[in-house]
PDB file of all heavy atoms in Angstrom:
ATOM      1  N   MET W   1      10.046   6.619   9.683  1.00  0.00           N
ATOM      2  CA  MET W   1       9.473   5.438   9.023  1.00  0.00           C
ATOM      3  C   MET W   1       9.714   5.440   7.534  1.00  0.00           C
ATOM      4  O   MET W   1       8.859   5.043   6.674  1.00  0.00           O
ATOM      5  CB  MET W   1       7.960   5.429   9.316  1.00  0.00           C
ATOM      6  CG  MET W   1       7.513   5.141  10.742  1.00  0.00           C
ATOM      7  SD  MET W   1       8.261   3.601  11.450  1.00  0.00           S
ATOM      8  CE  MET W   1       7.521   2.359  10.355  1.00  0.00           C
ATOM      9  N   ASP W   2      10.860   5.902   7.138  1.00  0.00           N
ATOM     10  CA  ASP W   2      11.264   5.819   5.684  1.00  0.00           C
ATOM     11  C   ASP W   2      11.504   4.419   5.154  1.00  0.00           C
ATOM     12  O   ASP W   2      11.495   4.139   3.979  1.00  0.00           O
ATOM     13  CB  ASP W   2      12.421   6.650   5.408  1.00  0.00           C
ATOM     14  CG  ASP W   2      13.752   6.096   6.109  1.00  0.00           C
ATOM     15  OD1 ASP W   2      13.571   5.300   7.002  1.00  0.00           O
ATOM     16  OD2 ASP W   2      14.804   6.637   5.793  1.00  0.00           O
ATOM     17  N   HIS W   3      11.400   3.474   6.152  1.00  0.00           N
ATOM     18  CA  HIS W   3      11.655   1.992   5.768  1.00  0.00           C
ATOM     19  C   HIS W   3      10.290   1.338   5.446  1.00  0.00           C
ATOM     20  O   HIS W   3      10.280   0.169   5.148  1.00  0.00           O
ATOM     21  CB  HIS W   3      12.416   1.261   6.790  1.00  0.00           C
ATOM     22  CG  HIS W   3      11.877   1.395   8.215  1.00  0.00           C
ATOM     23  ND1 HIS W   3      11.093   0.456   8.774  1.00  0.00           N
ATOM     24  CD2 HIS W   3      11.933   2.375   9.130  1.00  0.00           C
ATOM     25  CE1 HIS W   3      10.805   0.810  10.009  1.00  0.00           C
ATOM     26  NE2 HIS W   3      11.279   1.955  10.297  1.00  0.00           N
ATOM     27  N   GLU W   4       9.194   2.040   5.766  1.00  0.00           N
ATOM     28  CA  GLU W   4       7.890   1.474   5.494  1.00  0.00           C
ATOM     29  C   GLU W   4       7.539   1.569   4.053  1.00  0.00           C
ATOM     30  O   GLU W   4       7.767   2.555   3.410  1.00  0.00           O
ATOM     31  CB  GLU W   4       6.860   2.104   6.372  1.00  0.00           C
ATOM     32  CG  GLU W   4       5.537   1.441   6.181  1.00  0.00           C
ATOM     33  CD  GLU W   4       4.486   2.086   7.044  1.00  0.00           C
ATOM     34  OE1 GLU W   4       4.403   3.317   7.060  1.00  0.00           O
ATOM     35  OE2 GLU W   4       3.691   1.318   7.695  1.00  0.00           O
ATOM     36  N   GLN W   5       6.964   0.490   3.522  1.00  0.00           N
ATOM     37  CA  GLN W   5       6.645   0.505   2.100  1.00  0.00           C
ATOM     38  C   GLN W   5       5.355  -0.364   1.952  1.00  0.00           C
ATOM     39  O   GLN W   5       5.130  -1.330   2.695  1.00  0.00           O
ATOM     40  CB  GLN W   5       7.630   0.031   1.167  1.00  0.00           C
ATOM     41  CG  GLN W   5       8.263  -1.368   1.643  1.00  0.00           C
ATOM     42  CD  GLN W   5       9.579  -1.657   0.858  1.00  0.00           C
ATOM     43  OE1 GLN W   5      10.113  -0.809   0.136  1.00  0.00           O
ATOM     44  NE2 GLN W   5       9.996  -2.871   0.954  1.00  0.00           N
ATOM     45  N   PHE W   6       4.476  -0.061   0.951  1.00  0.00           N
ATOM     46  CA  PHE W   6       3.303  -0.866   0.735  1.00  0.00           C
ATOM     47  C   PHE W   6       3.486  -1.629  -0.706  1.00  0.00           C
ATOM     48  O   PHE W   6       4.330  -1.357  -1.425  1.00  0.00           O
ATOM     49  CB  PHE W   6       2.004  -0.087   0.715  1.00  0.00           C
ATOM     50  CG  PHE W   6       2.040   1.126  -0.281  1.00  0.00           C
ATOM     51  CD1 PHE W   6       1.814   0.854  -1.630  1.00  0.00           C
ATOM     52  CD2 PHE W   6       2.113   2.461   0.106  1.00  0.00           C
ATOM     53  CE1 PHE W   6       1.733   1.903  -2.554  1.00  0.00           C
ATOM     54  CE2 PHE W   6       2.091   3.453  -0.787  1.00  0.00           C
ATOM     55  CZ  PHE W   6       1.844   3.190  -2.156  1.00  0.00           C
ATOM     56  N   LEU W   7       2.558  -2.517  -0.852  1.00  0.00           N
ATOM     57  CA  LEU W   7       2.395  -3.310  -2.090  1.00  0.00           C
ATOM     58  C   LEU W   7       1.147  -2.836  -2.764  1.00  0.00           C
ATOM     59  O   LEU W   7       0.067  -2.809  -2.133  1.00  0.00           O
ATOM     60  CB  LEU W   7       2.438  -4.693  -1.888  1.00  0.00           C
ATOM     61  CG  LEU W   7       2.175  -5.637  -3.092  1.00  0.00           C
ATOM     62  CD1 LEU W   7       3.423  -5.640  -4.064  1.00  0.00           C
ATOM     63  CD2 LEU W   7       2.005  -7.071  -2.647  1.00  0.00           C
ATOM     64  N   ALA W   8       1.186  -2.399  -3.959  1.00  0.00           N
ATOM     65  CA  ALA W   8      -0.054  -2.034  -4.777  1.00  0.00           C
ATOM     66  C   ALA W   8      -0.123  -2.828  -6.057  1.00  0.00           C
ATOM     67  O   ALA W   8       0.903  -3.048  -6.779  1.00  0.00           O
ATOM     68  CB  ALA W   8      -0.120  -0.582  -5.066  1.00  0.00           C
ATOM     69  N   VAL W   9      -1.180  -3.448  -6.290  1.00  0.00           N
ATOM     70  CA  VAL W   9      -1.428  -4.365  -7.407  1.00  0.00           C
ATOM     71  C   VAL W   9      -2.632  -3.929  -8.225  1.00  0.00           C
ATOM     72  O   VAL W   9      -3.731  -3.730  -7.728  1.00  0.00           O
ATOM     73  CB  VAL W   9      -1.622  -5.824  -6.948  1.00  0.00           C
ATOM     74  CG1 VAL W   9      -1.824  -6.708  -8.159  1.00  0.00           C
ATOM     75  CG2 VAL W   9      -0.436  -6.268  -6.053  1.00  0.00           C
ATOM     76  N   ARG W  10      -2.505  -3.790  -9.532  1.00  0.00           N
ATOM     77  CA  ARG W  10      -3.590  -3.493 -10.469  1.00  0.00           C
ATOM     78  C   ARG W  10      -4.117  -4.760 -11.070  1.00  0.00           C
ATOM     79  O   ARG W  10      -3.369  -5.536 -11.715  1.00  0.00           O
ATOM     80  CB  ARG W  10      -3.233  -2.472 -11.570  1.00  0.00           C
ATOM     81  CG  ARG W  10      -4.166  -2.182 -12.517  1.00  0.00           C
ATOM     82  CD  ARG W  10      -3.851  -1.028 -13.409  1.00  0.00           C
ATOM     83  NE  ARG W  10      -2.570  -1.164 -14.033  1.00  0.00           N
ATOM     84  CZ  ARG W  10      -1.919  -0.181 -14.535  1.00  0.00           C
ATOM     85  NH1 ARG W  10      -2.318   1.035 -14.524  1.00  0.00           N
ATOM     86  NH2 ARG W  10      -0.695  -0.471 -15.203  1.00  0.00           N
ATOM     87  N   GLU W  11      -5.390  -5.091 -10.979  1.00  0.00           N
ATOM     88  CA  GLU W  11      -6.043  -6.201 -11.516  1.00  0.00           C
ATOM     89  C   GLU W  11      -7.210  -5.648 -12.329  1.00  0.00           C
ATOM     90  O   GLU W  11      -8.211  -5.315 -11.701  1.00  0.00           O
ATOM     91  CB  GLU W  11      -6.457  -7.223 -10.601  1.00  0.00           C
ATOM     92  CG  GLU W  11      -5.300  -7.930  -9.907  1.00  0.00           C
ATOM     93  CD  GLU W  11      -5.179  -9.414 -10.378  1.00  0.00           C
ATOM     94  OE1 GLU W  11      -6.149 -10.100 -10.569  1.00  0.00           O
ATOM     95  OE2 GLU W  11      -3.951  -9.767 -10.576  1.00  0.00           O
ATOM     96  N   GLY W  12      -7.090  -5.490 -13.714  1.00  0.00           N
ATOM     97  CA  GLY W  12      -8.148  -4.858 -14.455  1.00  0.00           C
ATOM     98  C   GLY W  12      -8.258  -3.400 -13.981  1.00  0.00           C
ATOM     99  O   GLY W  12      -7.276  -2.647 -14.017  1.00  0.00           O
ATOM    100  N   GLU W  13      -9.458  -3.047 -13.559  1.00  0.00           N
ATOM    101  CA  GLU W  13      -9.726  -1.652 -13.061  1.00  0.00           C
ATOM    102  C   GLU W  13      -9.513  -1.483 -11.570  1.00  0.00           C
ATOM    103  O   GLU W  13      -9.677  -0.467 -10.997  1.00  0.00           O
ATOM    104  CB  GLU W  13     -11.134  -1.183 -13.570  1.00  0.00           C
ATOM    105  CG  GLU W  13     -11.304  -1.084 -15.018  1.00  0.00           C
ATOM    106  CD  GLU W  13     -12.676  -0.696 -15.456  1.00  0.00           C
ATOM    107  OE1 GLU W  13     -13.526  -0.453 -14.510  1.00  0.00           O
ATOM    108  OE2 GLU W  13     -12.959  -0.390 -16.630  1.00  0.00           O
ATOM    109  N   ASN W  14      -9.212  -2.617 -10.987  1.00  0.00           N
ATOM    110  CA  ASN W  14      -9.131  -2.572  -9.486  1.00  0.00           C
ATOM    111  C   ASN W  14      -7.665  -2.407  -9.005  1.00  0.00           C
ATOM    112  O   ASN W  14      -6.814  -2.880  -9.537  1.00  0.00           O
ATOM    113  CB  ASN W  14      -9.598  -3.985  -8.849  1.00  0.00           C
ATOM    114  CG  ASN W  14     -11.072  -4.197  -9.142  1.00  0.00           C
ATOM    115  OD1 ASN W  14     -11.863  -3.346  -9.057  1.00  0.00           O
ATOM    116  ND2 ASN W  14     -11.399  -5.462  -9.489  1.00  0.00           N
ATOM    117  N   ILE W  15      -7.511  -1.506  -8.012  1.00  0.00           N
ATOM    118  CA  ILE W  15      -6.198  -1.316  -7.442  1.00  0.00           C
ATOM    119  C   ILE W  15      -6.281  -1.854  -5.988  1.00  0.00           C
ATOM    120  O   ILE W  15      -7.015  -1.329  -5.160  1.00  0.00           O
ATOM    121  CB  ILE W  15      -5.811   0.172  -7.370  1.00  0.00           C
ATOM    122  CG1 ILE W  15      -5.789   0.754  -8.786  1.00  0.00           C
ATOM    123  CG2 ILE W  15      -4.398   0.289  -6.702  1.00  0.00           C
ATOM    124  CD1 ILE W  15      -4.775   0.164  -9.688  1.00  0.00           C
ATOM    125  N   PHE W  16      -5.527  -2.919  -5.655  1.00  0.00           N
ATOM    126  CA  PHE W  16      -5.433  -3.429  -4.326  1.00  0.00           C
ATOM    127  C   PHE W  16      -4.176  -2.837  -3.585  1.00  0.00           C
ATOM    128  O   PHE W  16      -3.120  -2.866  -4.126  1.00  0.00           O
ATOM    129  CB  PHE W  16      -5.152  -5.017  -4.422  1.00  0.00           C
ATOM    130  CG  PHE W  16      -6.343  -5.792  -4.967  1.00  0.00           C
ATOM    131  CD1 PHE W  16      -6.679  -5.872  -6.302  1.00  0.00           C
ATOM    132  CD2 PHE W  16      -7.167  -6.512  -4.088  1.00  0.00           C
ATOM    133  CE1 PHE W  16      -7.682  -6.498  -6.814  1.00  0.00           C
ATOM    134  CE2 PHE W  16      -8.191  -7.229  -4.570  1.00  0.00           C
ATOM    135  CZ  PHE W  16      -8.488  -7.270  -5.916  1.00  0.00           C
ATOM    136  N   LEU W  17      -4.499  -2.307  -2.485  1.00  0.00           N
ATOM    137  CA  LEU W  17      -3.363  -1.762  -1.642  1.00  0.00           C
ATOM    138  C   LEU W  17      -3.193  -2.563  -0.397  1.00  0.00           C
ATOM    139  O   LEU W  17      -4.106  -2.908   0.387  1.00  0.00           O
ATOM    140  CB  LEU W  17      -3.823  -0.275  -1.218  1.00  0.00           C
ATOM    141  CG  LEU W  17      -2.928   0.310  -0.161  1.00  0.00           C
ATOM    142  CD1 LEU W  17      -1.524   0.642  -0.676  1.00  0.00           C
ATOM    143  CD2 LEU W  17      -3.519   1.662   0.384  1.00  0.00           C
ATOM    144  N   PHE W  18      -1.941  -3.119  -0.243  1.00  0.00           N
ATOM    145  CA  PHE W  18      -1.566  -3.936   0.892  1.00  0.00           C
ATOM    146  C   PHE W  18      -0.552  -3.146   1.733  1.00  0.00           C
ATOM    147  O   PHE W  18       0.510  -2.787   1.217  1.00  0.00           O
ATOM    148  CB  PHE W  18      -0.905  -5.231   0.399  1.00  0.00           C
ATOM    149  CG  PHE W  18      -1.816  -6.147  -0.417  1.00  0.00           C
ATOM    150  CD1 PHE W  18      -1.816  -5.975  -1.832  1.00  0.00           C
ATOM    151  CD2 PHE W  18      -2.654  -7.074   0.187  1.00  0.00           C
ATOM    152  CE1 PHE W  18      -2.611  -6.865  -2.635  1.00  0.00           C
ATOM    153  CE2 PHE W  18      -3.535  -7.875  -0.547  1.00  0.00           C
ATOM    154  CZ  PHE W  18      -3.508  -7.697  -1.991  1.00  0.00           C
ATOM    155  N   SER W  19      -0.939  -2.924   2.945  1.00  0.00           N
ATOM    156  CA  SER W  19      -0.096  -2.119   3.893  1.00  0.00           C
ATOM    157  C   SER W  19      -0.006  -2.916   5.132  1.00  0.00           C
ATOM    158  O   SER W  19      -0.937  -3.356   5.805  1.00  0.00           O
ATOM    159  CB  SER W  19      -0.676  -0.806   4.125  1.00  0.00           C
ATOM    160  OG  SER W  19       0.123  -0.019   5.013  1.00  0.00           O
ATOM    161  N   GLY W  20       1.304  -3.060   5.649  1.00  0.00           N
ATOM    162  CA  GLY W  20       1.551  -3.865   6.797  1.00  0.00           C
ATOM    163  C   GLY W  20       1.029  -3.212   8.162  1.00  0.00           C
ATOM    164  O   GLY W  20       0.263  -3.881   8.804  1.00  0.00           O
ATOM    165  N   CYS W  21       1.458  -2.089   8.411  1.00  0.00           N
ATOM    166  CA  CYS W  21       1.038  -1.391   9.549  1.00  0.00           C
ATOM    167  C   CYS W  21       0.509   0.056   9.367  1.00  0.00           C
ATOM    168  O   CYS W  21      -0.007   0.629  10.237  1.00  0.00           O
ATOM    169  CB  CYS W  21       2.141  -1.286  10.656  1.00  0.00           C
ATOM    170  SG  CYS W  21       2.139  -2.728  11.881  1.00  0.00           S
ATOM    171  N   SER W  22       0.875   0.668   8.278  1.00  0.00           N
ATOM    172  CA  SER W  22       0.447   2.110   7.938  1.00  0.00           C
ATOM    173  C   SER W  22       1.018   2.976   8.934  1.00  0.00           C
ATOM    174  O   SER W  22       0.240   3.847   9.458  1.00  0.00           O
ATOM    175  CB  SER W  22      -1.082   2.223   7.747  1.00  0.00           C
ATOM    176  OG  SER W  22      -1.571   1.199   6.840  1.00  0.00           O
ATOM    177  N   HIS W  23       2.270   2.783   9.405  1.00  0.00           N
ATOM    178  CA  HIS W  23       2.784   3.702  10.357  1.00  0.00           C
ATOM    179  C   HIS W  23       2.933   5.122   9.893  1.00  0.00           C
ATOM    180  O   HIS W  23       2.872   6.159  10.627  1.00  0.00           O
ATOM    181  CB  HIS W  23       4.233   3.261  10.815  1.00  0.00           C
ATOM    182  CG  HIS W  23       4.215   2.053  11.681  1.00  0.00           C
ATOM    183  ND1 HIS W  23       3.679   1.991  12.889  1.00  0.00           N
ATOM    184  CD2 HIS W  23       4.696   0.779  11.446  1.00  0.00           C
ATOM    185  CE1 HIS W  23       3.768   0.813  13.407  1.00  0.00           C
ATOM    186  NE2 HIS W  23       4.452   0.047  12.568  1.00  0.00           N
ATOM    187  N   LYS W  24       2.909   5.387   8.546  1.00  0.00           N
ATOM    188  CA  LYS W  24       2.872   6.646   7.974  1.00  0.00           C
ATOM    189  C   LYS W  24       1.498   7.188   7.793  1.00  0.00           C
ATOM    190  O   LYS W  24       1.266   8.318   7.441  1.00  0.00           O
ATOM    191  CB  LYS W  24       3.604   6.661   6.630  1.00  0.00           C
ATOM    192  CG  LYS W  24       5.089   6.379   6.645  1.00  0.00           C
ATOM    193  CD  LYS W  24       5.876   7.664   7.056  1.00  0.00           C
ATOM    194  CE  LYS W  24       5.924   8.628   5.844  1.00  0.00           C
ATOM    195  NZ  LYS W  24       6.901   9.764   6.202  1.00  0.00           N
ATOM    196  N   GLY W  25       0.465   6.285   8.060  1.00  0.00           N
ATOM    197  CA  GLY W  25      -0.845   6.550   7.947  1.00  0.00           C
ATOM    198  C   GLY W  25      -1.398   5.962   6.652  1.00  0.00           C
ATOM    199  O   GLY W  25      -0.906   5.973   5.599  1.00  0.00           O
ATOM    200  N   ILE W  26      -2.627   5.371   6.789  1.00  0.00           N
ATOM    201  CA  ILE W  26      -3.246   4.607   5.669  1.00  0.00           C
ATOM    202  C   ILE W  26      -3.598   5.654   4.607  1.00  0.00           C
ATOM    203  O   ILE W  26      -3.476   5.359   3.438  1.00  0.00           O
ATOM    204  CB  ILE W  26      -4.378   3.815   6.133  1.00  0.00           C
ATOM    205  CG1 ILE W  26      -4.911   2.942   4.864  1.00  0.00           C
ATOM    206  CG2 ILE W  26      -5.532   4.682   6.684  1.00  0.00           C
ATOM    207  CD1 ILE W  26      -3.933   1.997   4.352  1.00  0.00           C
ATOM    208  N   VAL W  27      -3.886   6.793   4.979  1.00  0.00           N
ATOM    209  CA  VAL W  27      -4.222   7.885   3.979  1.00  0.00           C
ATOM    210  C   VAL W  27      -3.056   8.215   3.144  1.00  0.00           C
ATOM    211  O   VAL W  27      -3.066   8.399   1.925  1.00  0.00           O
ATOM    212  CB  VAL W  27      -4.836   9.197   4.581  1.00  0.00           C
ATOM    213  CG1 VAL W  27      -4.993  10.281   3.614  1.00  0.00           C
ATOM    214  CG2 VAL W  27      -6.162   8.797   5.259  1.00  0.00           C
ATOM    215  N   ALA W  28      -1.842   8.405   3.875  1.00  0.00           N
ATOM    216  CA  ALA W  28      -0.658   8.656   3.120  1.00  0.00           C
ATOM    217  C   ALA W  28      -0.337   7.504   2.093  1.00  0.00           C
ATOM    218  O   ALA W  28       0.084   7.794   0.937  1.00  0.00           O
ATOM    219  CB  ALA W  28       0.522   8.799   4.094  1.00  0.00           C
TER     220      ALA W  28
END
């Protein structure tokens, strides 16, 4: 699953994590 990637966005002090399926695990 090296082709899996997430999107992370910083808005002020907030970090938004967008993950499609988390095949590597959401904790990872």
